Amino acid sequence: NAGVTQTPKFQVLKTGQSMTLQCAQDMNHEYMSWYRQDPGMGLRLIHYSVGAGITDQGEVPNGYNVSRSTTEDFPLRLLSAAPSQTSVYFCASSVLLMNTGELFFGEGSRLTVL
Amino acid sequence: DAKTTQPTSMDCAEGRAANLPCNHSTISGNEYVYWYRQIHSQGPQYIIHGLKNNETNEMASLIITEDRKSSTLILPHATLRDTAVYYCIAPANAGGTSYGKLTFGQGTILTVHP
């Protein structure tokens, strides 16, 4: 049982490049989400999904796309990377039952955009 | 989400109890209080959550005031490994659609000293 797995752990991009951050969970969780965390800041929600085929925007969705074709995977796509997207990205998952409280987080993907 | 207010930082001696306060004066009757922590640069880790009654698990205790306007997370015997950022969160609970959209503020930096 690996939990939430994020790849890559580190990535350096040039401005304008695109890439996909991968997130996979093996706990059969309906809910998955992406957060970003800038230095000294809390986490901000980018996008989330409550099941395969269902996604919605969070607090800071601009510049990012997501899709949810399977329960296990929730990739985050950066369409045209900008230096402002330099951050640590965390994927999280949970069951969809009300108020169970526990989001499981991955170890993070550290992205630098030059 | 109900707004939460936490002290920016706190210190605690190793072996002593760490009491982390949180004000959530705008919390509504069906909103839970959640506590997470983030050690160094890892993904946040769930600690505990509660609605009205005090809660205890293997990690911590949560004391919620009767009027639910504030709560205290208690780490009964703090260790150096408990040094982390602690987040108090009170997410909206609107029919399940906002479930999991946890907003992480800046939290409390707890430093446990030898």
Side-chain angles (χ1 to χ4, degrees):
Chain A
N1 189 341
V4 179
T5 303
Q6 293 184 232
T7 56
K9 289 185 168 50
F10 299 93
Q11 183 71 48
V12 178
L13 290 179
K14 294 181 180 178
T15 297
Q17 287 185 316
S18 63
M19 76 157 299
T20 299
L21 299 177
Q22 302 290 346
C23 176
Q25 53 90 10
D26 59 0
M27 298 173 281
N28 200 31
H29 285 166
E30 302 97 330
Y31 179 87
M32 297 185 74
S33 58
W34 278 101
Y35 289 86
R36 61 175 286 175
Q37 184 173 35
D38 300 324
M41 304 290 288
L43 283 76
R44 292 184 291 170
L45 183 65
I46 305 172
H47 285 286
Y48 67 97
S49 168
V50 296
I54 305 169
T55 64
D56 204 349
Q57 297 180 349
E59 182 185 2
V60 288
N62 292 340
Y64 307 95
N65 273 357
V66 292
S67 59
R68 184 93 178 271
S69 57
T70 67
T71 299
E72 295 77 19
D73 300 299
F74 190 46
L76 178 72
R77 298 183 189 84
L78 279 72
L79 308 174
S80 177
S84 60
Q85 294 179 303
T86 293
S87 190
V88 181
Y89 292 83
F90 290 100
C91 179
S93 75
S94 69
V95 298
L96 201 54
L97 296 175
M98 296 287 287
N99 298 316
T100 59
E102 186 167 4
L103 274 177
F104 293 83
F105 283 83
E107 294 183 353
S109 296
R110 286 149 182 80
L111 175 67
T112 300
V113 182
L114 302 175
Chain B
D1 291 3
K3 178 176 171 57
T4 60
T5 304
Q6 299 178 253
T8 302
S9 63
M10 295 183 65
D11 291 335
C12 178
E14 189 177 19
R16 297 285 195 175
N19 298 288
L20 292 89
C22 179
N23 287 324
H24 32 78
S25 58
T26 61
I27 197 170
S28 65
N30 62 352
E31 288 180 339
Y32 280 66
V33 177
Y34 298 80
W35 284 83
Y36 281 73
R37 73 180 182 183
Q38 187 174 25
I39 296 174
H40 194 45
S41 301
Q42 299 175 17
Q45 176 190 23
Y46 165 82
I47 302 173
I48 200 167
H49 74 289
L51 182 62
K52 295 181 181 178
N53 301 319
N54 298 336
E55 302 287 346
T56 296
N57 63 20
E58 65 277 6
M59 290 183 67
S61 295
L62 176 60
I63 308 298
I64 303 173
T65 58
E66 191 170 344
D67 62 7
R68 304 212 322 119
K69 293 184 184 301
S70 67
S71 61
T72 301
L73 178 74
I74 301 172
L75 308 178
H77 305 286
T79 70
L80 298 179
R81 289 191 298 270
D82 292 321
T83 293
V85 179
Y86 287 78
Y87 298 99
C88 168
I89 305 159
N93 183 13
T97 57
S98 61
Y99 173 72
K101 293 171 67 175
L102 299 181
T103 301
F104 291 74
Q106 299 210 12
T108 296
I109 301 170
L110 174 68
T111 303
V112 180
H113 298 285

